[in-house]
Amino acid sequence: LGLSLEVRERLKKDVAEMKLKDPNFRPGLVVLQVGGREDSNLYISMKLKAAAEIGINATHMKLPKTATEEEILHSITEINENSAVHGLLVQLPLDSIHKIDTEKVTNAVAPEKDVDGLTSINAGKLARGDLGDCFIPCTPNGCMELIRQTGVSVAGKRAVVIGRSKIVGAPMHDLLLWSHATVTTCHSKTADLAGEVGKADILVVGIGKAEMVKGEWIKKGAVVIDCGINHIPDETKSSGKRVVGDVHFASAKEQAGFITPVPGGVGPMTVAMLMLNTVLSAKRFLERHEPGKWNISYTKLHLQTPVPSDIAISRSCVPKPIDHLAREVGLLTDEVELYGKTKAKVQLKTIKRLQTQPDGKYVVVTGYAVSTSFCSVVLSHSRSGAAGGGYSQVIPMEEFNLHLTGDIHAITAANNLVAAAIDARMFHESTQSDKALYNRLVPLSGGNRKFSPIQINRLKKLGIEKTDPSTLTEEEITRFARLDIEPSSITWQRVLDTNDRFLRKITVGQSPTEKGHTREAQFDITVASEIMAVLALTSSLEDMRQRLAKMVVATSRSGQPITTEDLGVSGALTVLMKDAIKPNLMQTLEGNPVFVHAGPFANIAHGNSSILADKIALKLVGPEGFVVTEAGFGADIGMEKFFNIKCRYSGLRPHVVVLVATVRALKMHGGGPTVTAGMPLPKEYIEENLELLEKGCSNMRKQIENAQHFGVPVVVAVNAFKTDTEAELDLICSIAKAAGAFDAVRCSHWAEGGAGAVALGQAVQRASVAPSNFKFLYDLELPIADKIRIIAQTIYGADDIELLPEAQHKVELYTKQGFSSLPICMAKTHLSLSHEADKKGVPTGYILPIRDIRASVGAGFLYPLVGTMPTIPGLPTRPCFYDIDLDPETEQVNGLF
């Protein structure tokens, strides 16, 4: 008993050390019992008590006697998949009224959680001598510990085991054998049991027959371990019986050098070994899932020259099964929801599990409205954004570019539910009296009216502290029931994920059933929905619920903002978005993990992937790892919004900015001719022209300066194409360094994959440890116009701003409504630093006109409109759908890219 206490003290220290490393971590044990046998109840209570003393989180799962084999197996599967449980013990015997295959049930336990050591896999490993890679059954393990504590060396000794059960005898034989004893196993068919026992230096008995082994059989000085638990009549005991072992203790102790008593010998050690195995399992779990310690295999690229099409490259590579990749990067089985073989969603509980772990290095990639995605993919351990191209892309391309996991459809449905709710509410308010409206909003159910939780929230917002619908005054009923939306103030539009130019301006309500309640409206592309921006900026399910509730859709005739919570639809929106909030896991051509999550319109919204994806990634890569995230469009748009909006809400601070440049983009900024889609490139872009390039580098200097306003080191990545000359690439690098970039390196990852960006990776690594002094561009409490002016003057190079009448009106309205302290999300062209797309380079001497200002209160920003831009694209004369088809034999998508 003293020995088992010593083991428990040691384990208590081990658990305390685990908690020091991670305060939220506790070893978890589940004891699964079927039925309610009294002896089983006693054993389980001992195990639970020991677990509590050590600091193990132990749970007793009790199934009724009526439980079927299928129900038992289902419970075991659930526990196997629960990452908080490190040990699962099935209490035997299974006390069920049904026929249960005990072997099948025992083997259903995951071997890595089989702390009883009874699965065929653990038994097989023990039989083969793989003692360091299995769990040893608790009773034999306890016996070995007792033998060790006698000081008797097992090696070379004669050992006899009586009994060959799977729980004691058979594994005891294996343990003694691999401890180098010469072992004999005796059983009911053994001819001369007494003679065999007399040869034993070490005797272990587990046969289940009371006091069967007599003292005179035992060799003088032998070590005797008695595993038996038997009841014999004893009138001196109140119960009328007493517990004895398989060895006659009184006579045996005269012969034995050491003998274990019953009770109080092997029993407590068995419980101690169960605790030991549970703590060992928890240690193994922590070792396997140490953040950043990835056991990852990379896919070798087979490069071709010339570089094939993106789709051809994508199809030439066989992606790893996504569940395999998830395990490689430290995600647990129950944290991953598979969507086929190549994509999965990652549950948000991953953040909670890893919350005490340090973050990795955070890198933002931005550019000049050329493809930053190539660079992001190749540089990444994890990132989100567009698919990239060449030998630097996310695969499979068809999955990426079609429905993925349906997030965009969830956003479309949620957005259009709000639109439907707005028009329906206006219609019903216009055709009903206050009382009739109220009675329908709070209908009778079982003779009573009852407010829903969302309606209670609206009452509180109105300052009506009542929960009984019958107690509202007429004035309160009117205020509650009527939103009184001003139709011209509606800012919420319907959305569709299709390029349909004829939806840019529409009239709704033309059916006779709508009784003449028509109004002009429009459709936007789905990525322009505020719900997409909410998804990208949210930090949790609860935070998303609050953001969705705060979205302002219109203004009442009295000037009050009307929210989705007022409409009563915010809870339903959260339900529609409950799966979309989970980041999507995919992979690059070379087998690196990629999070693809959220894609808010970079003109109108902030053009950055989700905060949640970045946060999970930063935990998974560990303190030495890197997470690369992409800021859409040029640095003046995507990067500025990344810093001033995304970083404010995430609390994350980037270590490095990677600014992507190309010779062609800079030549365009130097005054090169216009490039027309489908037409050959003008010669200026495919022949050396240092003068044109140097003029265009003024734009790069400005973008480096813009990044430096935020106090973060800048690395310029020059994407090299085959028509670029050495002199052109060298010129860009030298100008970038002279402008203050930490480094500037050429990259050829489009043609060479990761190997083509090794220098970039090294530069980013060096920059990540360079001194930095991150800061925001403006204080949120400044007036709206001042914040817009700071962005216009500092980032775009404008002399000043001009608020046009509608914008001035909105400044006054939003200030009055309490939204003036939100950050600013400028909606302007990405083709120029100015508001005029054709003004290249670094335009100066201009006033930036602000046509209007809109509020995305749920997402958490105001967006000033600079100039006009379509919010839903249109189809050209020859859309790409002419080339897209499906091969019915192979089900392969053709013509996508």
Side-chain angles (χ1 to χ4, degrees):
L1 190 62
L3 178 57
S4 76
L5 291 173
E6 186 185 310
V7 173
R8 290 183 196 188
E9 282 305 311
R10 194 170 76 233
L11 294 176
K12 199 184 286 188
K13 283 181 186 169
D14 286 349
V15 172
E17 282 176 20
M18 288 184 205
K19 290 201 78 174
L20 269 179
K21 288 181 184 173
D22 183 351
N24 295 312
F25 184 82
R26 278 181 79 189
L29 171 69
V30 170
V31 181
L32 178 64
Q33 181 185 15
V34 179
R37 283 175 53 130
E38 277 305 312
D39 55 349
S40 291
N41 290 340
L42 177 65
Y43 300 147
I44 290 168
S45 69
M46 288 163 56
K47 291 164 185 173
L48 296 177
K49 186 182 175 193
E53 285 173 9
I54 290 164
I56 293 169
N57 185 23
T59 307
H60 181 193
M61 180 182 278
K62 202 165 182 177
L63 299 180
K65 286 184 78 160
T66 54
T68 62
E69 184 175 280
E70 190 178 341
E71 287 168 341
I72 297 166
L73 292 172
H74 177 72
S75 295
I76 289 172
T77 301
E78 282 194 332
I79 299 165
N80 284 344
E81 292 177 358
N82 184 345
S83 59
V85 177
H86 309 102
L88 167 55
L89 178 147
V90 178
Q91 186 67 43
L92 301 177
L94 299 166
D95 180 24
S96 172
I97 62 171
H98 303 287
K99 189 170 183 281
I100 307 288
D101 183 341
T102 301
E103 187 73 3
K104 187 176 180 182
V105 167
T106 303
N107 275 310
V109 176
E112 68 274 13
K113 297 190 179 189
D114 172 30
V115 287
D116 235 357
L118 298 182
T119 60
S120 297
I121 288 175
N122 277 317
K125 286 182 176 180
L126 175 59
R128 289 172 55 161
D130 298 336
L131 272 62
D133 187 35
C134 70
F135 286 113
I136 299 166
C138 302
T139 299
N141 208 7
C143 293
M144 285 303 297
E145 189 67 29
L146 288 164
I147 293 165
R148 275 194 288 271
Q149 289 298 319
T150 65
V152 172
S153 172
V154 176
K157 296 291 191 300
R158 281 185 173 273
V160 171
V161 178
I162 305 180
R164 53 185 172 181
S165 72
K166 292 174 185 175
I167 295 173
V168 181
M172 193 70 235
H173 169 280
D174 295 336
L175 263 179
L176 286 163
L177 181 67
W178 295 112
S179 297
H180 311 299
T182 302
V183 189
T184 302
T185 298
C186 299
H187 42 78
S188 58
K189 298 288 189 290
T190 300
D192 179 14
L193 184 60
E196 295 293 343
V197 169
K199 298 173 189 173
D201 302 313
I202 297 167
L203 176 66
V204 181
V205 188
I207 205 161
K209 294 193 176 177
E211 300 181 326
M212 177 183 164
V213 177
K214 311 303 179 192
E216 56 266 26
W217 298 3
I218 295 167
K219 183 179 178 180
K220 189 71 178 173
V223 172
V224 180
I225 308 293
D226 188 353
C227 302
I229 297 177
N230 310 285
H231 293 91
I232 60 170
D234 187 342
E235 292 176 5
T236 66
K237 301 288 182 186
S238 59
S239 63
K241 57 186 179 180
R242 66 187 169 93
V243 177
V244 296
D246 292 349
V247 178
H248 187 273
F249 186 79
S251 60
K253 75 174 181 180
E254 300 301 323
Q255 286 290 99
F258 174 86
I259 184 168
T260 57
V262 177
V266 172
M269 278 305 295
T270 298
V271 174
M273 291 302 107
L274 173 64
M275 301 303 120
L276 179 79
N277 278 352
T278 304
V279 171
L280 176 61
S281 179
K283 281 181 180 174
R284 287 174 180 171
F285 173 86
L286 286 176
E287 283 167 14
R288 280 198 311 272
H289 297 99
E290 187 181 331
K293 190 180 173 184
W294 293 1
N295 183 23
I296 192 166
S297 58
Y298 295 102
T299 309
K300 184 171 171 54
L301 294 179
H302 300 286
L303 303 176
Q304 293 181 44
T305 307
V307 176
S309 69
D310 289 352
I311 193 74
I313 293 171
S314 176
R315 286 184 179 153
S316 71
C317 179
V318 179
K320 292 185 280 190
I322 202 69
D323 57 334
H324 177 69
L325 176 63
R327 284 195 302 275
E328 286 183 331
V329 301
L331 288 164
L332 309 182
T333 307
D334 60 335
E335 291 170 345
V336 179
E337 297 173 8
L338 301 180
Y339 281 65
K341 295 177 181 177
T342 57
K343 53 192 177 179
K345 279 193 167 290
V346 176
Q347 294 195 12
L348 303 190
K349 65 180 179 179
T350 309
I351 294 179
K352 189 176 180 186
R353 172 172 68 89
L354 299 172
Q355 64 187 352
T356 59
Q357 303 297 334
D359 286 346
K361 301 287 198 304
Y362 195 31
V363 180
V364 60
V365 175
T366 189
Y368 305 92
V370 294
S371 184
T372 56
S373 306
F374 297 154
C375 192
S376 301
V377 173
V378 79
L379 194 56
S380 70
H381 269 192
S382 177
R383 64 139 216 121
S384 317
Y391 285 105
S392 175
Q393 58 171 302
V394 179
I395 57 169
M397 184 193 270
E398 299 99 313
E399 298 287 353
F400 185 100
N401 285 293
L402 292 172
H403 301 283
L404 198 57
T405 55
D407 294 352
I408 202 122
H409 306 308
I411 292 163
T412 304
N415 183 98
N416 293 344
L417 177 62
V418 176
I422 294 167
D423 285 312
R425 184 60 174 263
M426 289 166 62
F427 170 77
H428 291 306
E429 285 190 23
S430 68
T431 56
Q432 297 177 51
S433 67
D434 291 357
K435 192 68 177 170
L437 191 62
Y438 182 70
N439 287 343
R440 286 189 173 93
L441 285 169
V442 194
L444 275 171
S445 178
N448 294 309
R449 297 188 193 278
K450 188 180 176 184
F451 290 123
S452 71
I454 287 177
Q455 289 177 323
I456 296 283
N457 290 347
R458 172 153 170 80
L459 288 166
K460 286 178 182 173
K461 178 180 171 181
L462 295 170
I464 303 170
E465 296 294 330
K466 294 179 181 178
T467 55
D468 181 353
S470 65
T471 61
L472 266 65
T473 65
E474 283 190 16
E475 184 264 344
E476 287 170 340
I477 285 173
T478 301
R479 285 171 58 216
F480 169 80
R482 291 208 175 273
L483 300 181
D484 202 23
I485 292 170
E486 168 55 55
S488 64
S489 74
I490 296 170
T491 53
W492 196 268
Q493 309 300 346
R494 288 166 172 81
V495 299
L496 194 67
D497 195 38
T498 304
N499 294 359
D500 189 347
R501 66 193 314 134
F502 279 83
L503 294 177
R504 288 172 179 168
K505 195 167 190 180
I506 59 169
T507 304
V508 295
Q510 290 194 323
S511 166
T513 54
E514 273 43 76
K515 302 177 181 176
H517 291 281
T518 61
R519 68 179 182 90
E520 279 195 349
Q522 68 183 60
F523 268 79
D524 293 338
I525 195 81
T526 298
V527 293
S529 170
E530 184 177 350
I531 295 175
M532 176 65 93
V534 165
L535 177 67
L537 290 168
T538 195
S539 57
S540 68
L541 201 52
E542 176 57 34
D543 178 67
M544 183 175 75
R545 169 69 178 79
Q546 291 171 7
R547 286 175 181 271
L548 291 172
K550 287 193 292 189
M551 294 190 303
V552 173
V553 300
T555 300
S556 71
R557 287 186 172 90
S558 62
Q560 295 303 307
I562 303 297
T563 66
T564 53
E565 187 91 332
D566 294 324
L567 282 166
V569 75
S570 48
L573 298 181
T574 311
V575 171
L576 285 171
M577 293 293 293
K578 72 179 179 64
D579 291 318
I581 194 174
K582 301 165 193 169
N584 305 298
L585 178 67
M586 292 186 77
Q587 64 192 283
T588 67
L589 285 165
E590 296 185 61
N592 257 318
V594 180
F595 277 138
V596 182
H597 197 222
F601 212 178
N603 293 65
I604 288 177
H606 64 295
N608 282 257
S609 56
S610 79
I611 286 172
L612 282 169
D614 289 358
K615 284 192 168 181
I616 293 173
L618 284 163
K619 295 298 182 189
L620 289 174
V621 300
E624 301 304 312
F626 286 78
V627 170
V628 182
T629 193
E630 184 186 333
F633 285 168
D636 53 305
I637 297 183
M639 182 191 71
E640 181 271 315
K641 294 174 181 179
F642 169 81
F643 285 128
N644 282 320
I645 299 174
K646 186 175 179 180
C647 289
R648 279 189 206 267
Y649 286 121
S650 70
L652 299 172
R653 299 293 176 261
H655 293 78
V656 186
V657 173
V658 173
L659 190 62
V660 183
T662 65
V663 169
R664 291 174 184 175
L666 291 173
K667 282 180 175 178
M668 186 181 286
H669 278 292
T674 302
V675 175
T676 307
M679 299 294 288
L681 275 175
K683 65 180 177 59
E684 286 85 351
Y685 296 111
I686 52 179
E687 295 176 3
E688 184 175 289
N689 191 327
L690 297 176
E691 185 184 347
L692 190 64
L693 178 61
E694 187 165 5
K695 281 176 70 179
C697 280
S698 61
N699 185 278
M700 179 181 68
R701 282 196 203 91
K702 176 60 179 160
Q703 300 290 27
I704 293 170
E705 178 194 306
N706 286 344
Q708 289 173 328
H709 284 305
F710 298 95
V712 181
V714 182
V715 173
V716 173
V718 186
N719 273 358
F721 290 84
K722 62 183 178 182
T723 56
D724 301 339
T725 68
E726 290 289 314
E728 287 176 327
L729 297 170
D730 287 344
L731 179 64
I732 296 174
C733 290
S734 62
I735 290 174
K737 289 176 189 175
F742 177 87
D743 204 349
V745 290
R746 64 177 71 179
C747 314
S748 53
H749 42 275
W750 180 78
E752 298 175 27
V758 171
L760 174 60
Q762 291 167 341
V764 167
Q765 200 159 15
R766 290 193 304 272
S768 71
V769 293
S772 64
N773 178 31
F774 177 77
K775 53 187 178 293
F776 295 118
L777 196 64
Y778 53 81
D779 187 323
L780 288 181
E781 298 310 314
L782 287 172
I784 295 170
D786 287 4
K787 289 184 281 194
I788 298 170
R789 185 175 291 108
I790 288 171
I791 295 170
Q793 292 176 335
T794 311
I795 303 297
Y796 307 154
D799 284 352
D800 203 351
I801 61 167
E802 179 190 6
L803 293 179
L804 300 179
E806 186 57 31
Q808 187 59 52
H809 165 67
K810 292 290 180 59
V811 165
E812 292 160 9
L813 176 67
Y814 294 147
T815 302
K816 180 184 164 191
Q817 291 180 337
F819 305 142
S820 64
S821 61
L822 291 173
I824 301 298
C825 183
M826 300 292 282
K828 82 165 188 73
T829 179
H830 58 285
L831 299 173
S832 170
L833 280 164
S834 75
H835 58 290
E836 296 176 275
D838 59 342
K839 295 282 173 61
K840 306 300 181 185
V842 185
T844 55
Y846 67 95
I847 306 291
L848 191 74
I850 310 298
R851 179 170 60 84
D852 195 1
I853 303 174
R854 308 255 172 90
S856 288
V857 179
F861 53 74
L862 301 176
Y863 61 99
L865 301 176
V866 182
T868 58
M869 64 198 76
T871 52
I872 186 165
L875 293 174
T877 306
R878 191 189 187 281
C880 59
F881 58 60
Y882 278 93
D883 303 308
I884 298 172
D885 210 337
L886 188 73
D887 185 321
E889 292 294 318
T890 63
E891 296 187 14
Q892 181 172 286
V893 177
N894 294 323
L896 197 59
F897 285 96

